[in-house]
Amino acid sequence: KQEVTQIPAALSVPEGENLVLNCSFTDSAIYNLQWFRQDPGKGLTSLLLIQSSQREQTSGRLNASLDKSSGRSTLYIAASQPGDSATYLCAVGSGTYKYIFGTGTRLKVLA
Amino acid sequence: DTGVSQDPRHKITKRGQNVTFRCDPISEHNRLYWYRQTLGQGPEFLTYFQNEAQLEKSRLLSDRFSAERPKGSFSTLEIQRTEQGDSAMYLCASSLQGENGYTFGSGTRLTVV
């Protein structure tokens, strides 16, 4: 059974810092991996999608990497801003349609 | 098209009542998913439709839960005889078969009192 773990559970950083969020999964036979952002009481916004054959994806200040063999993904946020404050969720695609989510990392960027 | 729409945004109901939620996916998306998220947890898969066919149901979806997607367009999720443990955010997402990645709606927050 696939299990997804995110560390740390919460993170507070001053504005401008570069930071790394970690995601680990127990079964390396994944279809893809997706990082989402969730603001309090809201739905999920897709940030980056990495196919199982890819090593990384970049979008603006965000970079996500994938190492299937070690069961790990990282989300790198450069030059953090207060507007980046949210919960970041890692979701592992266990087939062509279903995702297994981690419990998220709550990020607070202080002005 | 403005994305995935869910209605209502919030629902407060008394224990034992029935509730129904609606999800309107992105119009060209033929796949639709329901997830449930409790406080402090990640979303958990409930069920999945391809067009009008419900192809998988999680064990989380007890007999009190039923989902439909008539005509392969919008979907409804009904919970009968609600219990306090049903309090959660119910999230709907859609995608196009053959393309990866979901688009989520804003969710329906259910509170059972």
Side-chain angles (χ1 to χ4, degrees):
Chain A
K1 177 189 172 187
Q2 180 73 272
E3 293 182 1
V4 182
T5 303
Q6 291 188 246
I7 294 173
L11 184 61
S12 185
V13 300
E15 182 177 7
E17 271 203 9
N18 302 326
L19 53 99
V20 175
L21 308 182
N22 296 294
C23 171
S24 61
F25 46 93
T26 55
D27 186 350
S28 61
I30 68 171
Y31 191 74
N32 57 32
L33 186 144
Q34 197 163 2
W35 283 92
F36 292 90
R37 168 186 173 139
Q38 187 173 32
D39 292 289
K42 301 292 178 62
L44 279 67
T45 301
S46 177
L47 298 173
L48 289 165
L49 170 68
I50 310 177
Q51 304 293 349
S52 62
S53 59
Q54 297 176 322
R55 298 284 297 191
E56 65 178 334
Q57 282 286 333
T58 298
S59 176
R61 294 183 294 108
L62 305 179
N63 175 276
S65 68
L66 174 64
D67 184 343
K68 274 200 329 178
S69 60
S70 66
R72 293 183 181 182
S73 176
T74 61
L75 178 66
Y76 175 83
I77 303 176
S80 58
Q81 303 171 357
D84 294 332
S85 299
T87 295
Y88 290 80
L89 291 157
C90 169
V92 173
S94 61
T96 59
Y97 60 86
K98 186 164 62 177
Y99 281 98
I100 307 298
F101 283 82
T103 53
T105 294
R106 294 187 310 280
L107 173 64
K108 188 168 186 178
V109 181
L110 305 171
Chain B
D1 190 76
T2 57
V4 179
S5 300
Q6 292 190 245
D7 184 69
R9 293 294 308 276
H10 304 276
K11 178 72 176 178
I12 300 174
T13 190
K14 292 183 178 179
R15 190 173 51 186
Q17 297 294 305
N18 299 341
V19 294
T20 299
F21 311 140
R22 177 179 170 124
C23 172
D24 286 90
I26 292 174
S27 56
E28 61 266 29
H29 285 182
N30 62 339
R31 290 183 169 181
L32 185 147
Y33 317 84
W34 285 98
Y35 281 74
R36 181 173 70 185
Q37 185 180 26
T38 54
L39 202 60
Q41 301 297 312
E44 295 175 290
F45 174 83
L46 292 179
T47 190
Y48 145 66
F49 291 85
Q50 182 161 303
N51 301 311
E52 66 275 10
Q54 188 175 19
L55 298 186
E56 185 174 343
K57 291 172 59 174
S58 163
R59 287 175 293 175
L60 294 174
L61 221 59
S62 74
D63 290 346
R64 297 184 296 106
F65 288 72
S66 63
E68 295 182 343
R69 192 183 182 198
K71 303 178 184 177
S73 56
F74 71 91
S75 175
T76 59
L77 178 67
E78 181 184 16
I79 309 174
Q80 296 181 329
R81 305 180 303 281
T82 52
E83 303 172 355
Q84 285 190 321
D86 297 331
S87 295
M89 173 80 87
Y90 290 84
L91 295 160
C92 176
S94 69
S95 71
L96 187 62
Q97 183 180 1
E99 293 185 358
N100 300 135
Y102 288 178
T103 300
F104 274 92
S106 298
T108 293
R109 178 162 297 284
L110 173 67
T111 302
V112 182
V113 298

